[in-house]
Amino acid sequence: MVRLMGRSEVRSARRPSGPLARRRRDEDRSRRDRSTLPGRSLAGQVFLLQVVVVLLLVLAAVAALVLQGRYDSTEEARDRSVAVAGAFAESPGIREALRAPDPTAVLQPRAEAAREATGVDFVVVMNTDGIRYTHPRPDRIGKKFVGTLGPALAGRTVTEEIDGTIGPLVQAVVPVKAADGTVVGLVSAGITTENVGGAADRQLPLVLVAAALALALATAGTALVSRRLRRQTHGLGPDEMTRMYEHHDAVLHAVREGVLIVGGEGTLLLANDEAQRLLDLPADAEGRRVGDLGLPAAVADLLASGRRATDEVHLVKDRLLAVSQRSTDIRDGPPGTVATLRDTTELRALSGRAETARERLDLLYDAGVGVGTGLDVTRTAEELAELAVPRFADFVTVDLFDAVLAGGQPEGVTPLRRTALSGVRTDSPLYPVGRQIRFVDGSPQGRSLRTGRPVLEPDLARAPDWQVQDAERSAQVVAYGIHSLITVPLRAGALVLGVVGFWRAERPEPFDADELALAEELVTRAAVSIDNARRYTREHGLAVTLQRSLLPRTLPEQSAVDIASRYLPAQAGVGGDWFDVLPLSGARVALVVGDVVGHGLHAAATMGRLRTAVHNFAALDLAPDELLTLLDELVGRIDQDQAAEGGGAAVIGATCLYAIYDPVARSCVLARAGHPPPALVHPDGRVEFPDVPAGPPLGLGGLPFETTELQLAEGSRLVLYTDGLVEDRGHDIDTGLEELRAALAAAGPSPEETCEKVLDARLPARPVDDIALLVARTRALGEDRVAQWRVPADPAAVGEVRAGVTRRLAEWGLEELVFTTELILSELVTNAIRYGAEPIHVRVLRDRSLICEVFDGTSTSPHLRYAAMTDEGGRGLFLVAQLAERWGTRYTPDGKVIWAQQPIP
């Protein structure tokens, strides 16, 4: 192609010299510089627009800051006053101080200390009539509180905004409740709105600085745009640009090669005379899409694709054209391509071979993208067989070792199994899929397996070694018309995974050496995908085995709930979903469901650690919020340890839902850490999702967990699950929850029926996340199986307790346990009277075992010790531990419970 004239050549060819010419060029340059001044150029107009936009944004930001600051001040004052009043109302000793003869002497110092520590303006404690016991100004103590007290006397927290003597303020009134729930006093805390907030004043200078920076950037950007425009035109004026275009246009149409310029959207922008002749383009071709010009599909696709091509041969009508194509967007050029066409009709004789080479390259390319789309060994083998038929062979067989199908490595001489079979017809006499085959050493397949090299059999009718494999079936294959065979071993490094057979029947010519090389390349590429699938199968099996061993194999026996559970791993691999059922003291049971984000061995191992930790924490009889707090700290320590080791993955993303059901009180206390809410199915079939506060995921820390207590009727079903059941890529969680609600409403009353119905409605065909489902139907421990007595703080009351227990055990037919039960209760009740505080009461439960519980009002925990020979005491708990099967301590909001459990004979 004729070389086009460069810009410097054009300018030097027509640029005059001498003082007059230099003066003229200086004047032209001065005019160009003046044209770039702000206000007269496009860059200047853009600069003015940017200034206006920045000023508007600054004004809007300032207004938003002022309004937000006022709102935040009020909300912060409301939250702080509620928090301070609530914390003071729940502080230890507040109820006792209200009942004291002089509440002001006890509460005034504490209220002032709380006020100074929290930054509020006042903390006021008053009785139910509104008479103040405390106030920052002592002269107001004993006077009636100014504010709304009605909701607080009803047991609710009230907040209000008033204009007090110290200015606008927000105050909260919180009730102080006794153990039975009655309001025995009120606590109010307040703060003026001017003492909170201030974020707007701090952020306003930042907004102004940002505005100044934006103006500076706008100025710099305008200058850069102006300089870029001058640089892109290379300092040339309109006349010079016109003359250069005329020169280039003349050269473009004078060359004897076709030149096409195609835009970035596939539109033909320019075609010279030679290109119009070679392609027989219509007169209005320029401006139309190349796909609409009637060109052959291969040429149109090449021009529209924009890909790089060098001397790519295409047949256009009766001409054989060599097409070269390059992109125009190199070095900041416009998007699009330039294609050149050369008439190479004399190469027509080679077009058939070129087409064959192109088809083979396309086959190899398709093998790279079409084989190994998944991580299943069998499916990958099927993809290889389907790809080669009928483009390369008429029938393709893939035979793999059984160990490879299971994810392992073949060991020794073992038979193979036909894994995939694809052909142009379905009635071939070849071995069917699933058939186990042992190839003899002399057969083509046996030689390929032994030597690791491909084997070509151009004429099967004359291949005696192949016929030895199975004389009868070999005769059927030849009679069917299959006449040529290529066998290629599936090799992954030094490991032979199997063998692939390519069979020809429809085309009369046999396979040749070139096709043997193509088959070897095709199988080599597929072997990588099959080996990857084999490795994944092995890792997946290990992960599934690990997780199955970490999940509970059998659920413990207990009488509180009927249980049904399901765990379904994801299609892509096991994850960190888990569940558990833990019997607790007092015939209670703990239900827990958790999820560790991610898949694989790490998620499964982390799940095992968390499940073990929950077992240990549950043994301490902790409340759900306390257990989640300890679990959160544990996850944080795991992350710190792994970060210190420099290579472990963090556990951020672990969630958990923990619930404790008490069959005596028929209550359920729940807390969750970033986990989906539970579902509750009432005995009448009504479904609801209780409002359980959603704490942060485990490991984040910083925020406390909250609990919710539900009263459950007998026969209610509590459904705990992981997010894989209600979330997928096509729908949000709200849609999943509604579908779950519908499935639960239509499910049968038993937990097993509920699990089946939910999974039938919500389980996808190929789940991308694993699913854990736990359904618990509640039972109740009837009053005929519960006995309890209130015990006064008098040692003489121990005898009455023993007598009452003896009578109740006789009614239950448990006379054999009378002696040991009297000893256990005598020791526990005596300790409660001596070391505890009122109220004291005893409860005996008849469940799967006999449970004795002694409640008292202190939180001191007893400890088992071995008393010396000279000690007068210290042997009570030792005696209880020897007589009882299990014993322990759990804490309540009002004190503690010492319990002992005996097996029922």
Side-chain angles (χ1 to χ4, degrees):
M1 181 177 177
V2 179
R3 182 175 62 86
L4 300 182
M5 297 178 63
R7 174 182 57 83
S8 60
E9 294 173 335
V10 174
R11 294 184 63 185
S12 62
R14 54 187 173 78
R15 179 179 294 169
S17 59
L20 182 60
R22 287 195 297 270
R23 183 172 60 187
R24 185 175 300 168
R25 286 197 297 271
D26 293 339
E27 292 175 357
D28 292 340
R29 186 177 296 107
S30 177
R31 285 195 301 271
R32 289 196 300 270
D33 292 340
R34 287 195 301 270
S35 67
T36 61
L37 294 176
R40 300 181 59 185
S41 64
L42 178 61
Q45 296 174 2
V46 172
F47 174 73
L48 293 179
L49 179 61
Q50 290 175 336
V51 171
V52 174
V53 171
V54 169
L55 291 178
L56 291 177
L57 290 176
V58 170
L59 292 177
V62 171
L65 281 175
V66 172
L67 295 177
Q68 185 65 32
R70 294 177 179 176
Y71 176 80
D72 290 343
S73 298
T74 303
E75 289 300 314
E76 184 178 351
R78 186 184 304 272
D79 293 341
R80 191 186 299 181
S81 60
V82 170
V84 172
F88 197 88
E90 294 295 331
S91 62
I94 183 69
R95 301 173 183 83
E96 292 76 4
L98 288 172
R99 294 193 295 264
D102 187 3
T104 299
V106 178
L107 295 176
Q108 176 69 5
R110 294 173 58 183
E112 287 303 295
R115 179 180 65 84
E116 294 175 1
T118 57
V120 298
D121 291 316
F122 64 86
V123 175
V124 174
V125 183
M126 65 199 84
N127 60 15
T128 55
D129 296 329
I131 304 302
R132 299 187 184 99
Y133 290 148
T134 67
H135 197 277
R137 298 180 181 178
D139 58 335
R140 299 189 178 182
I141 295 175
K143 297 181 179 179
K144 188 173 182 63
F145 176 79
V146 178
T148 303
L149 301 181
L153 292 174
R156 300 191 303 272
T157 300
V158 60
T159 59
E160 58 184 352
E161 299 179 21
I162 63 172
D163 289 328
T165 57
I166 58 176
L169 57 85
V170 176
Q171 66 182 12
V173 180
V174 175
V176 179
K177 297 181 180 180
D180 57 357
T182 60
V183 177
V184 299
L186 304 173
V187 177
S188 175
I191 186 173
T192 58
T193 56
E194 67 180 6
N195 290 337
V196 296
D201 297 336
R202 296 190 297 270
Q203 295 176 0
L204 185 58
L206 180 61
V207 172
L208 298 178
V209 171
L213 291 175
L215 291 174
L217 290 175
T219 305
T222 303
L224 290 175
V225 170
S226 178
R227 291 184 60 186
R228 184 177 180 87
L229 290 175
R230 291 199 302 270
R231 185 171 62 254
Q232 289 183 343
T233 58
H234 302 288
L236 298 178
D239 295 337
E240 293 174 326
M241 295 291 292
T242 301
R243 184 168 298 179
M244 179 178 289
Y245 171 79
E246 293 173 350
H247 279 268
H248 284 194
D249 188 63
V251 173
L252 181 65
H253 291 281
V255 298
R256 298 311 301 168
E257 289 186 357
V259 178
L260 299 173
I261 300 179
V262 181
E265 299 179 353
T267 304
L268 181 63
L269 302 180
L270 183 144
N272 68 349
D273 296 340
E274 184 67 9
Q276 292 182 352
R277 184 184 69 82
L278 293 176
L279 297 177
D280 194 17
L281 296 175
D284 60 343
E286 295 183 358
R288 297 170 58 184
R289 299 184 64 85
V290 294
D292 302 333
L293 300 179
L295 299 175
V299 177
D301 293 342
L302 172 61
L303 297 177
S305 66
R307 62 180 176 86
R308 183 185 180 95
T310 302
D311 291 338
E312 193 171 301
V313 179
H314 291 273
L315 185 62
V316 181
K317 294 187 177 179
D318 59 344
R319 297 185 179 90
L320 200 61
L321 303 181
V323 183
S324 298
Q325 185 168 263
R326 297 292 185 273
S327 176
T328 60
D329 59 0
I330 303 176
R331 299 178 181 176
D332 298 331
T337 56
V338 174
T340 60
L341 313 174
R342 289 187 292 110
D343 190 354
T344 58
T345 307
E346 65 275 8
L347 300 178
R348 183 186 300 270
L350 301 177
S351 61
R353 191 166 184 176
E355 180 66 18
T356 301
R358 185 183 66 81
E359 290 177 356
R360 293 180 177 178
L361 290 176
D362 289 343
L363 178 63
L364 293 177
Y365 172 78
D366 293 341
V369 299
V371 178
T373 57
L375 291 172
D376 183 79
V377 176
T378 300
R379 181 56 193 156
T380 305
E382 292 172 349
E383 290 172 347
L384 171 60
E386 294 168 358
L387 175 72
V389 175
R391 299 169 63 179
F392 179 68
D394 298 318
F395 297 93
V396 176
T397 58
V398 182
D399 305 314
L400 300 176
F401 291 102
D402 286 334
V404 174
L405 295 173
Q409 298 181 2
E411 298 179 356
V413 180
T414 58
L416 290 86
R417 189 172 299 278
R418 175 117 328 151
T419 307
L421 169 61
S422 180
V424 294
R425 298 193 298 271
T426 59
D427 58 345
S428 69
L430 298 172
Y431 288 125
V433 173
R435 174 71 176 269
Q436 194 175 53
I437 310 169
R438 186 182 296 273
F439 293 106
V440 298
D441 292 340
S443 65
Q445 294 89 343
R447 281 182 284 163
S448 293
L449 293 172
R450 188 179 66 255
T451 63
R453 301 294 301 169
V455 175
L456 170 62
E457 287 290 352
D459 190 356
L460 290 177
R462 299 181 180 180
D465 292 340
W466 171 71
Q467 296 178 7
V468 172
Q469 172 69 38
D470 189 339
E472 182 180 357
R473 188 174 293 271
S474 300
Q476 295 174 357
V477 170
V478 173
Y480 186 78
I482 299 176
H483 59 82
S484 187
L485 169 65
I486 292 178
T487 62
V488 184
L490 270 162
R491 298 185 55 181
L495 188 64
V496 178
L497 307 176
V499 64
V500 181
F502 299 93
W503 311 77
R504 178 163 288 178
E506 298 292 325
R507 285 178 283 183
E509 66 274 7
F511 288 115
D512 56 24
D514 291 339
E515 290 171 324
L516 178 65
L518 175 61
E520 185 177 13
E521 178 66 22
L522 182 64
V523 173
T524 299
R525 298 192 179 193
V528 175
S529 299
I530 292 179
D531 187 53
N532 289 338
R534 177 189 66 85
R535 294 173 182 270
Y536 170 78
T537 301
R538 180 185 61 191
E539 297 296 333
H540 179 72
L542 291 175
V544 169
T545 302
L546 173 62
Q547 185 166 40
R548 293 292 186 187
S549 66
L550 295 176
L551 288 173
R553 299 184 180 181
T554 58
L555 298 178
E557 296 183 357
Q558 40 78 38
S559 303
V561 291
D562 294 325
I563 293 291
S565 63
R566 295 291 188 276
Y567 171 76
L568 300 173
Q571 185 70 26
V574 298
D577 291 15
W578 58 282
F579 63 90
D580 217 334
V581 178
L582 307 173
L584 302 178
S585 63
R588 300 171 306 143
V589 65
L591 308 173
V592 57
V593 170
D595 184 7
V596 177
V597 175
H599 296 87
L601 292 175
H602 173 73
T606 303
M607 177 271 290
R609 299 175 70 177
L610 295 184
R611 180 169 175 257
T612 302
V614 170
H615 270 262
N616 295 332
F617 294 151
L620 301 176
D621 264 329
L622 298 176
D625 55 339
E626 296 176 358
L627 185 141
L628 290 182
T629 300
L630 294 178
L631 204 61
D632 178 70
E633 296 175 356
L634 173 64
V635 173
R637 290 197 299 271
I638 293 176
D639 287 343
Q640 293 175 2
D641 295 341
Q642 292 178 342
E645 293 175 0
V651 192
I652 297 301
T655 64
C656 185
L657 172 61
Y658 190 82
I660 297 178
Y661 174 68
D662 187 347
V664 178
R666 301 176 187 177
S667 63
C668 184
V669 182
L670 308 94
R672 61 185 177 121
H675 202 81
L680 177 60
V681 185
H682 294 274
D684 58 1
R686 182 169 47 91
V687 182
E688 66 171 320
F689 293 94
D691 185 14
V692 181
L698 299 174
L700 297 181
L703 294 176
F705 298 100
E706 301 181 50
T707 60
T708 296
E709 184 172 355
L710 306 176
Q711 291 296 324
L712 305 182
E714 185 175 4
S716 301
R717 282 167 287 162
L718 190 64
V719 182
L720 281 64
Y721 54 90
T722 55
D723 56 0
L725 185 66
V726 294
E727 289 184 1
D728 55 52
R729 297 176 181 175
H731 304 87
D732 58 14
I733 190 173
D734 293 333
T735 302
L737 290 176
E738 288 303 317
E739 294 180 359
L740 176 61
R741 183 195 301 271
L744 292 174
S750 71
E752 287 291 340
E753 293 175 337
T754 303
C755 286
E756 294 296 335
K757 186 66 176 179
V758 168
L759 293 182
D760 290 343
R762 287 295 305 159
L763 184 64
R766 295 178 64 89
V768 298
D769 194 8
D770 48 346
I771 297 172
L773 176 63
L774 186 65
V775 179
R777 183 175 62 184
T778 62
R779 296 178 178 177
L781 203 62
E783 296 181 355
D784 58 330
R785 301 172 64 184
V786 179
Q788 52 186 349
W789 300 269
R790 190 172 186 88
V791 181
D794 184 0
V798 177
E800 299 177 2
V801 172
R802 287 199 301 266
V805 170
T806 301
R807 290 191 299 271
R808 181 52 62 95
L809 292 180
E811 295 175 4
W812 288 344
L814 300 178
E815 291 84 355
E816 298 180 16
L817 299 179
V818 170
F819 178 72
T820 56
T821 304
E822 287 182 349
L823 287 179
I824 291 173
L825 287 179
S826 296
E827 293 296 337
L828 297 182
V829 173
T830 301
N831 286 344
I833 295 173
R834 180 177 300 177
Y835 305 109
E838 291 187 308
I840 301 172
H841 62 278
V842 174
R843 186 173 71 174
V844 179
L845 308 176
R846 182 187 177 184
D847 192 28
R848 293 177 179 269
S849 58
L850 185 66
I851 303 171
C852 300
E853 298 178 332
V854 177
F855 299 74
D856 69 79
T858 63
S859 58
T860 56
S861 177
H863 297 282
L864 180 66
R865 69 185 182 90
Y866 292 96
M869 295 294 295
T870 57
D871 291 345
E872 295 184 1
R875 299 176 180 83
L877 285 180
F878 178 77
L879 180 62
V880 171
Q882 295 298 315
L883 296 176
E885 180 183 39
R886 296 173 55 217
W887 75 279
T889 304
R890 71 173 183 268
Y891 295 95
T892 66
D894 299 325
K896 70 176 183 298
V897 180
I898 309 297
W899 58 271
Q901 181 175 312
Q902 302 176 76
I904 295 179

